[in-house]
Amino acid sequence: MNMNDFSATLLTCALGAYVAGIVGALLFQRAEKLANGVGFGLAAAGGVCGIFACASSLATGAATASQSFALFPSLIPYVRFGLRADALGCFFGMVVSLLGVALSIYSLGYVRGYYGHKNAGVLGAFFNLLLLATTLVFLADNAFFFLIAWELMALSAYCLVSFEHEHAETRNAGVLFFIMSHLGTGCLILGFLLLFQASGSYGFEGFHALGDKMPAARRNVVFLLFLIGFGVKAGMVPLHIWLPAAHPVAPSNVSALMSGVLIKTGIYGLARVCFDFLGTPPNWWGVTVLTLGTISAVLGVLYALMEHDLKRLLAYHSIENIGIILMGLGAALMFLHSGHPVLASLALIAGLYHTLNHAVFKALLFLGAGAVLHATHTRNMEDLGGLAKRMRWTTLCFLVGAVAISALPPLNGFVSEWLTYQSLLQGFGTTTSLIRLMFPLSGAMLALTGALAAACFVKAFGVTFLGQPRGDHARQAREVPFPMLLGQGILVAACVFLGLFPTVFLKLFDPLTRQLTGQQLSQQLTMADGLVLSGGPAQGGTVSTPGIALMLLCLLPVPLTLWALFARRAGTRIGPTWDCGQRGLTPQMQYTATGFSKPLRMIFKALFRPRREVQREYDFSPYFTTTLRFESHVEEVFQTRIYRPLRWLVLRASRRLRALQAGSLQAYLIYIFVTLLALLLFAL
Amino acid sequence: MDIGSHVITLMAALILVVQLLMTAQRQLPTSIRLFAIQSLLLAAIAAVVAYYHNASHVYIVAGLTLAGKVFFLPWLLNRLVQRIQIHQEIEPLFNAPTSMLICGGLTLLGYVVARPFTSLERLGNNTLPVALTLLLTGFFLMINCRKALTQVLALLTVENGVMLAAVAVASYGMPLVVELGIFFDVLVAVMVLGILVYRIRETFASMDTSKLNQLKG
Amino acid sequence: MFVHDTLLNRLKRGCATMAYPAGPAPALPERHGGALRVEAAKCQADCAACVAVCPTEAVTRPPDRRVALDLGRCLFCAECVKACPTGAITQTGDHRLAVRRREDLVLGEAGNEQLRLAGVLDEKLRRLFRRSLKLRQVSAGGCNACEADTNVLGTIGWDLGRFGIQFVASPRHADGLLITGPVSKNMELALQKTYAAVPEPRIVIAVGACAIAGGPFVGHPQVHNGAGVLLPVDLFIPGCPPHPLTILDGLIRLLGRLEESGRKTG
């Protein structure tokens, strides 16, 4: 095999570590600490091996011409457990391994919260299983193995989501996730069957550039099937309804893994199908993906603004970021169609870099939310506050994550969104048809989401960490154990490095773009010895995140000097915060999350259709209320307009069909008999 | 070979006749006896095939059929009938002439379906239509009669048909392992069904399976 | 058209602000007698007619002592002027009443027949506040008449803003406090917190009889008798309520924006 022996060995080690983690965690179920340590320790080890395997494979360029190798021989015909670590697979493998390391270390501390009332060994086993299945999804080399790994991933994710199944909310979320996942898988199976029909074999090697040989109508059907199938997993609007239900109720390390990696399997699938399998795309594919991406981005962030459950807010932000990634992919498809491979590579790099960045900072945010949950036992922002003084390190990590997701320089979110802007803006000049208006429009929508995301994180960070505690839980919060801080710290370091040194990471994308679009862009995008990131040679802009960071550091002494020079002379007097002469500031005087987002709720009233209900009870005068009840609702458009009518239709049809279930044994036997006769007659 | 072929054809015809008789039969003990006769004929066919092809494992099949389906199972079912004390079938779904007509139609269908397979020059190749007919009429019997015991009998005739097809068409019977497996499978099925019939009788005070309608949700 | 009409209207109306202090002060209304003047020499022996009619005991005449009129407690009802048989207490019609020190408000001693008016702030403060004085108004439980008369200074006729004096929304933005009302117990904490929130250097101005000495509520258990009990006051403007002209005069006198001669200042 062409794949580097070193990488292959490491990869097998990683997979073996995951399997050992499953076995070990289940073996030591009774001894909780041992199960915790063994399970997550082996997962971390597997992650480290995976990072090195994939990174070395990408770096040495061996990934471009890799052959597949079978893990172990299989007795079943058509099914071959083969792995193929090509550039796209290695890149995503690296993402999952990096997240695996950070999350496993974090889990060592987080799972302590489950000692005594839940089985930590089972959590560890399923966690390892999920990591294993996801890695296999990225590296599988034939459709059967891919689907087996996909199903395994969905099942283990379901088990993890339903880990705290005592709550009805969790059970419902798990079931919804399960159903949506299988809807997607059904579409995937159909798509793969169509591809098999055209190619004659199930291997991905055989699918390469298959689309050019297929008739146009069939190709479009395949694209749509895969779009729906992978779109469900990625959380694309309107198939996203499971995301905000499932992510909040899962344990936080699982939420981080799901948000960081699971939804990226959808992106991997789309990239694989659109760029590897289906050849040169017609224009409407790119337009569709770009439109859906834009809608997902805007709607995701708008709904995030209205949430006051910390993890649900982050889940909606995942939808938003998936939209941004899809924008990059859609633009790349449009550029491929119009014959601009360089721009296509740029857009692809933007989308995939954002995948990596989102995995890192979203996982960081979820870990922070998990730390908050661990310390205060509540996800509701309206009960939190004042955690900055009580949980300093977690606050710092969450702040870094919030700055990264708001795409502020010099962190990583800024770099990938900047690249996306570059590709969109340069796209305007590629065609002369009206379609080119989509690019600036998408760019404008991206700017809107960026601003709204920043507003949302001001709310999330401010209400949760700043100010005064709004409840007892927040008041008694303590800093979380060290492993949790270490896990967050790893991701903070990743955010900072990915942001400050993007040109280094661009080299990793070379084999990827070479494989998918035939271009290699890292030379063109790097200027000034790697300090400056360029958006392409001709019309692209330039930005230098190390420069920005350096500038911030250099300018910092200026106000400090001024302060040192002049503040001494003026003297300082320390007094309490001005509180309008009241007896003292109470938590009730602070902004609530609902109040903070009210202006935006009113601006986007047409989308949200907010409903407000106030009920007050009083004895003798309405000015002296005894009980006050306040309810504020935002309509979930997709649930009420699309999914509920659909469900009603399905239920109505099945109620009609229920007439067939007469309950009589004879009737059932007659059904079977008649079918048998019909088949016999038909065979004649 | 000729004599064997004729003998087998004769016995196959007799099996068909017995099956049609069972369709019109109302008395339960008689049905069980008819089933015993049918299984005897089947064992005989198997023995003849084994004799003319010198396939010893088919002798084992014949012996098992004899022991199990001619003696053991009818004895079991008779004991059940005595315990339940019901000797008569209730009004079937189709009356006798109609069910005869339907069985005739099914026989025709069996012959038509089996035509492409009867080109094989083998001993007993003309029993395939009979086998298929047994299958179809057994199924029909299951639908027609509502007593659970008769339905068990009908299932057994279906199994007879399958075994006939295997003996006649497959390479001198199916592999022994498979034959044994199916045999024991049928045995266990009948025992379980016997228990179930008893329970149905207990719960509904009748073996009428249409009373199971009450269990629907 | 609205803009056009507004502009035309403004041009036609011209400037409505009064000329004072560059020009003469507007005349006080007839009922307003202005400042009081006490000539204790004219008093009859054992006459306490003015003491009996004063509602706030502003006029005192201890035995074997001269009569003393504390303008800080005075409501300017002029009953003592009517009651005095010899005309020892008279109204002068002078609108200038502001002083820097509390003791300067007590009339009656020789040489103290009239007020020693407020002098300018010291040099450092004068330089800071001369062109920009931002005040935070604290209404500490009074009847709101002083607030109303202070508020009217913001209208275009008086235009306090042309001196750089402005009332601000937060004490953190302010250079000083302008206190009205007798400082009820309810408002004590708020007043102290407001004072603590004003950055230094800061000044305190007490406007009205209530803020100086409790006014009509003097002696009530629910009030402190004036702001001077709690805070150091830099300017006292007596009156009940003081005429806006009096308040304005006091403020710009404090900042040294008023050029005049012929009166003693303290």
Side-chain angles (χ1 to χ4, degrees):
Chain A
M1 57 191 140
N2 278 0
M3 185 179 169
N4 207 344
D5 272 338
F6 173 64
S7 308
T9 331
L10 272 183
L11 201 55
T12 330
C13 281
L15 297 174
Y18 292 137
V19 173
I22 299 174
V23 171
L26 284 177
L27 262 181
F28 299 122
Q29 268 180 66
R30 303 274 168 216
E32 290 170 324
K33 293 203 182 75
L34 193 56
N36 185 11
V38 164
F40 290 107
L42 283 169
V48 170
C49 293
I51 294 180
F52 280 116
C54 297
S56 77
S57 185
L58 275 177
T60 61
T64 45
S66 57
Q67 304 246 333
S68 49
F69 63 98
L71 267 187
F72 45 84
S74 100
L75 301 163
I76 312 167
Y78 281 120
V79 179
R80 183 175 164 270
F81 296 120
L83 292 185
R84 184 171 76 127
D86 70 336
L88 190 61
C90 272
F91 174 72
F92 279 94
M94 199 174 70
V95 173
V96 70
S97 306
L98 173 64
L99 244 60
V101 172
L103 293 175
S104 307
I105 296 179
Y106 176 88
S107 307
L108 287 172
Y110 183 73
V111 174
R112 288 184 207 167
Y114 286 118
Y115 286 168
H117 58 275
K118 292 226 71 121
N119 193 337
V122 163
L123 182 61
F126 276 119
F127 195 78
N128 276 292
L129 184 59
L130 185 58
L131 281 173
L132 176 68
T134 319
T135 317
L136 288 176
V137 162
F138 291 138
L139 298 174
D141 85 329
N142 60 52
F144 259 123
F145 193 27
F146 180 88
L147 285 171
I148 292 175
W150 187 267
E151 271 303 296
L152 208 57
M153 182 178 75
L155 276 176
S156 45
Y158 166 70
C159 292
L160 284 171
V161 164
S162 312
F163 187 65
E164 295 178 21
H165 52 80
E166 308 83 57
H167 311 289
E169 187 197 359
T170 313
R171 291 196 295 270
N172 293 341
V175 169
L176 181 61
F177 166 72
F178 199 65
I179 294 174
M180 293 299 290
S181 179
H182 278 84
L183 277 176
T185 313
C187 294
L188 287 186
I189 294 178
L190 280 175
F192 275 121
L193 283 176
L194 282 173
L195 282 177
F196 165 68
Q197 219 181 19
S199 122
S201 84
Y202 281 103
F204 283 178
E205 294 271 356
F207 289 164
H208 180 70
L210 190 59
D212 290 326
K213 304 183 199 119
M214 290 168 74
R218 190 164 293 191
R219 204 158 78 123
N220 290 337
V221 169
V222 168
F223 169 73
L224 280 175
L225 283 171
F226 278 119
L227 185 65
I228 296 176
F230 287 123
V232 167
K233 191 56 112 184
M236 192 172 72
V237 161
L239 304 161
H240 66 284
I241 53 166
W242 61 272
L243 232 161
H247 281 61
V249 298
S252 304
N253 48 352
V254 173
S255 303
L257 192 60
M258 286 176 72
S259 215
V261 170
L262 224 71
I263 53 186
K264 307 304 188 305
T265 56
I267 300 293
Y268 164 77
L270 267 177
R272 174 73 73 188
V273 164
C274 294
F275 292 96
D276 199 8
F277 292 169
L278 290 179
T280 316
N283 208 16
W284 69 270
W285 289 6
V287 171
T288 312
V289 175
L290 184 61
T291 317
L292 285 173
T294 316
I295 296 177
S296 303
V298 176
L299 283 182
V301 77
L302 281 177
Y303 280 112
L305 272 166
M306 293 302 121
E307 285 297 328
H308 54 78
D309 176 340
L310 197 52
K311 284 169 76 168
R312 247 177 106 94
L313 183 144
L314 294 174
Y316 272 115
H317 271 288
S318 290
I319 299 176
E320 174 217 340
N321 281 288
I322 286 291
I324 299 177
I325 298 173
L326 285 175
M327 278 195 208
L329 290 184
L333 284 174
M334 288 173 79
F335 293 140
L336 269 184
H337 168 82
S338 60
H340 293 89
V342 172
L343 279 179
S345 309
L346 180 62
L348 187 62
I349 290 179
L352 292 179
Y353 201 1
H354 198 72
T355 312
L356 175 59
N357 289 338
H358 176 242
V360 169
F361 57 60
K362 185 45 67 66
L364 175 59
L365 287 169
F366 264 111
L367 294 188
V372 167
L373 184 59
H374 188 226
T376 62
H377 306 289
T378 174
R379 301 193 311 251
N380 189 358
M381 271 194 278
E382 311 273 29
D383 291 332
L384 296 173
L387 296 177
K389 297 200 174 61
R390 294 162 175 82
M391 300 169 66
R392 288 173 193 273
W393 293 109
T394 308
T395 310
L396 187 62
C397 295
F398 196 91
L399 183 61
V400 171
V403 169
I405 198 173
S406 310
L408 294 172
L411 293 181
N412 53 358
F414 170 73
V415 174
S416 48
E417 280 203 23
W418 187 84
L419 284 172
T420 315
Y421 278 121
Q422 284 298 315
S423 59
L424 286 175
L425 293 173
Q426 288 181 54
F428 187 71
T430 53
T431 65
T432 47
S433 69
L434 272 178
I435 287 290
R436 68 181 175 159
L437 284 177
M438 282 212 61
F439 290 113
L441 205 62
S442 302
M445 289 294 116
L446 184 60
L448 177 66
T449 66
L452 289 173
C456 189
F457 271 95
V458 166
K459 176 184 95 164
F461 184 74
V463 170
T464 311
F465 290 98
L466 303 178
Q468 291 190 1
R470 291 179 183 79
D472 284 326
H473 286 300
R475 215 165 285 135
Q476 292 157 4
R478 284 285 118 65
E479 185 62 272
V480 289
F482 179 66
M484 291 169 79
L485 292 175
L486 185 58
Q488 292 180 63
I490 294 175
L491 292 173
V492 165
C495 275
V496 171
F497 279 118
L498 284 168
L500 284 182
F501 306 112
T503 46
V504 171
F505 292 98
L506 275 183
K507 292 208 186 59
L508 286 174
F509 286 97
D510 272 344
L512 218 148
T513 50
R514 201 159 58 221
Q515 181 195 7
L516 296 179
T517 57
Q519 299 287 326
Q520 235 178 286
L521 279 194
S522 72
Q523 293 300 99
Q524 294 175 320
L525 295 181
T526 313
M527 289 165 61
D529 286 331
L531 286 178
V532 173
L533 181 67
S534 147
Q539 308 117 308
T542 53
V543 78
S544 166
T545 37
I548 295 176
L550 210 58
M551 193 171 70
L552 285 173
L553 276 176
C554 288
L555 289 180
L556 197 60
V558 172
L560 288 177
T561 323
L562 287 174
W563 178 71
L565 280 179
F566 293 110
R568 297 289 167 67
R569 239 192 289 163
T572 351
R573 184 165 60 95
I574 300 181
T577 315
W578 170 238
D579 52 11
C580 296
Q582 304 269 1
R583 260 162 233 299
L585 291 173
T586 62
Q588 279 76 30
M589 294 173 183
Q590 301 175 114
Y591 259 127
T592 59
T594 317
F596 188 89
S597 53
K598 175 152 181 183
L600 287 155
R601 194 155 53 236
M602 290 299 122
I603 293 175
F604 292 102
K605 200 159 53 179
L607 168 70
F608 291 128
R609 295 178 196 284
R611 239 178 45 226
R612 213 176 85 143
E613 216 178 277
V614 180
Q615 274 177 14
R616 61 176 74 205
E617 283 172 35
Y618 55 89
D619 282 339
F620 44 87
S621 159
Y623 297 109
F624 298 93
T625 321
T626 49
T627 328
L628 185 64
R629 201 173 141 265
F630 173 83
E631 233 182 85
S632 169
H633 286 292
V634 158
E635 184 191 353
E636 290 179 312
V637 159
F638 291 97
Q639 301 264 33
T640 50
R641 300 292 162 106
I642 301 182
Y643 285 94
R644 214 160 280 168
L646 208 62
R647 198 179 73 184
W648 179 80
L649 271 174
V650 167
L651 284 177
R652 203 170 76 151
S654 37
R655 228 169 280 139
R656 294 260 178 81
L657 283 177
R658 239 224 263 168
L660 280 178
Q661 275 189 305
S664 152
L665 194 61
Q666 280 178 309
Y668 299 155
L669 286 172
I670 292 180
Y671 296 151
I672 302 175
F673 192 51
V674 166
T675 316
L676 180 62
L677 285 180
L679 281 174
L680 282 176
L681 287 171
F682 178 73
L684 288 178
Chain B
M1 198 64 115
D2 256 350
I3 300 179
S5 172
H6 284 317
V7 165
I8 286 174
T9 315
L10 179 64
M11 286 196 283
L14 281 174
I15 288 181
L16 198 57
V17 169
V18 166
Q19 177 75 355
L20 289 173
L21 279 177
M22 233 199 314
T23 316
Q25 187 53 248
R26 296 280 284 265
Q27 300 274 358
L28 266 174
T30 322
S31 292
I32 298 174
R33 224 164 285 148
L34 282 173
F35 168 70
I37 295 174
Q38 194 184 63
S39 305
L40 183 63
L41 288 168
L42 185 62
I45 291 182
V48 168
V49 166
Y51 175 69
Y52 274 100
H53 286 277
N54 295 318
S56 48
H57 65 273
V58 189
Y59 276 124
I60 303 178
V61 169
L64 273 177
T65 312
L66 193 67
K69 287 192 179 164
V70 180
F71 293 117
F72 180 63
L73 280 179
W75 170 79
L76 197 65
L77 291 168
N78 267 319
R79 219 180 61 152
L80 195 57
V81 167
Q82 266 160 20
R83 264 168 69 193
I84 294 178
Q85 289 293 320
I86 293 180
H87 299 276
Q88 211 168 19
E89 170 67 46
I90 31 183
E91 190 64 40
L93 202 59
F94 302 103
N95 57 4
T98 320
S99 44
M100 278 290 200
L101 267 174
I102 293 178
C103 281
L106 290 173
T107 316
L108 204 59
L109 182 62
Y111 268 89
V112 168
V113 170
R115 208 152 41 96
F117 301 102
T118 55
S119 54
L120 303 161
E121 279 305 319
R122 310 160 42 78
L123 186 65
N125 59 352
N126 49 0
T127 54
L128 187 59
V130 174
L132 278 172
T133 309
L134 270 184
L135 214 135
L136 292 171
T137 44
F139 221 108
F140 172 70
L141 201 61
M142 257 200 279
I143 297 172
N144 203 20
C145 304
R146 285 188 294 184
K147 276 240 168 80
L149 205 55
T150 325
Q151 286 175 336
V152 171
L153 273 175
L155 188 66
L156 287 171
T157 57
V158 169
E159 210 280 326
N160 269 352
V162 170
M163 205 160 90
L164 185 59
V167 163
V169 175
S171 49
Y172 312 119
M174 298 178 272
L176 192 61
V177 177
V178 180
E179 284 276 359
L180 280 176
I182 294 181
F183 180 74
F184 280 111
D185 181 36
V186 170
L187 203 63
V188 169
V190 171
M191 293 171 112
V192 169
L193 284 169
I195 299 172
L196 271 177
V197 163
Y198 192 65
R199 298 299 283 163
I200 291 174
R201 169 72 164 73
E202 291 261 283
T203 315
F204 295 103
S206 126
M207 276 203 290
D208 184 359
T209 47
S210 62
K211 291 234 164 58
L212 287 170
N213 263 357
Q214 295 173 17
L215 294 174
K216 125 176 116 169
Chain C
M1 289 320 287
F2 180 70
V3 173
H4 178 255
D5 289 338
T6 311
L7 284 175
L8 274 184
N9 191 324
R10 281 278 97 226
L11 287 170
K12 253 194 302 193
R13 287 271 287 269
C15 179
T17 312
M18 62 180 62
Y20 178 83
L28 286 178
E30 274 173 29
R31 290 196 334 174
H32 197 301
L36 294 175
R37 185 190 162 86
V38 174
E39 283 162 19
K42 285 192 187 168
C43 278
Q44 288 172 355
D46 296 328
C47 172
C50 51
V51 178
V53 297
C54 184
T56 55
E57 295 169 16
V59 188
T60 47
R61 194 168 184 199
D64 298 329
R65 300 282 223 90
R66 300 168 74 112
V67 70
L69 171 59
D70 182 359
L71 276 183
R73 290 171 81 127
C74 178
L75 300 184
F76 292 83
C77 61
E79 288 295 312
C80 51
V81 175
K82 278 191 257 180
C84 183
T86 55
I89 306 181
T90 48
Q91 289 179 303
T92 60
D94 190 355
H95 65 272
R96 301 172 296 182
L97 285 168
V99 300
R100 290 296 303 278
R101 298 192 303 248
R102 181 73 177 89
E103 50 272 23
D104 289 343
L105 284 173
V106 181
L107 301 178
E109 293 294 320
N112 260 7
E113 294 84 16
Q114 284 184 8
L115 292 170
R116 293 164 70 92
L117 295 175
V120 186
L121 288 169
D122 69 50
E123 192 55 31
K124 172 179 142 204
L125 289 180
R126 195 182 80 94
R127 254 187 315 142
L128 279 175
F129 297 146
R130 182 182 166 80
R131 287 176 171 274
S132 164
L133 177 68
K134 304 288 182 250
L135 295 172
R136 167 73 179 162
Q137 208 282 310
V138 181
S139 173
C143 71
N144 268 7
C146 298
E147 286 87 334
D149 274 345
T150 312
N151 200 20
V152 84
L153 290 176
T155 57
I156 57 173
W158 297 93
D159 194 11
L160 197 57
R162 59 196 157 119
F163 304 106
I165 307 177
Q166 194 186 348
F167 290 100
V168 290
S170 168
R172 292 264 191 248
H173 308 161
D175 300 314
L177 296 183
L178 190 132
I179 307 177
T180 53
V183 190
S184 56
K185 291 263 163 60
N186 247 1
M187 278 301 286
E188 176 188 349
L189 179 63
L191 180 59
Q192 276 171 336
K193 283 195 147 185
T194 313
Y195 182 69
V198 179
E200 286 167 2
R202 53 195 171 184
I203 60 175
V204 176
I205 304 169
V207 173
C210 292
I212 301 175
F217 308 106
V218 65
H220 194 282
Q222 278 298 314
V223 304
H224 299 282
N225 292 325
V229 174
L230 300 169
L231 308 173
V233 179
D234 296 293
L235 184 69
F236 297 86
I237 306 180
C240 188
H243 194 271
L245 185 56
T246 308
I247 305 177
L248 181 59
D249 166 84
L251 289 173
I252 56 183
R253 187 180 299 281
L254 184 70
L255 300 179
R257 302 289 289 267
L258 200 57
E259 308 300 332
E260 66 167 13
S261 56
R263 282 291 296 270
K264 277 189 295 186
T265 56

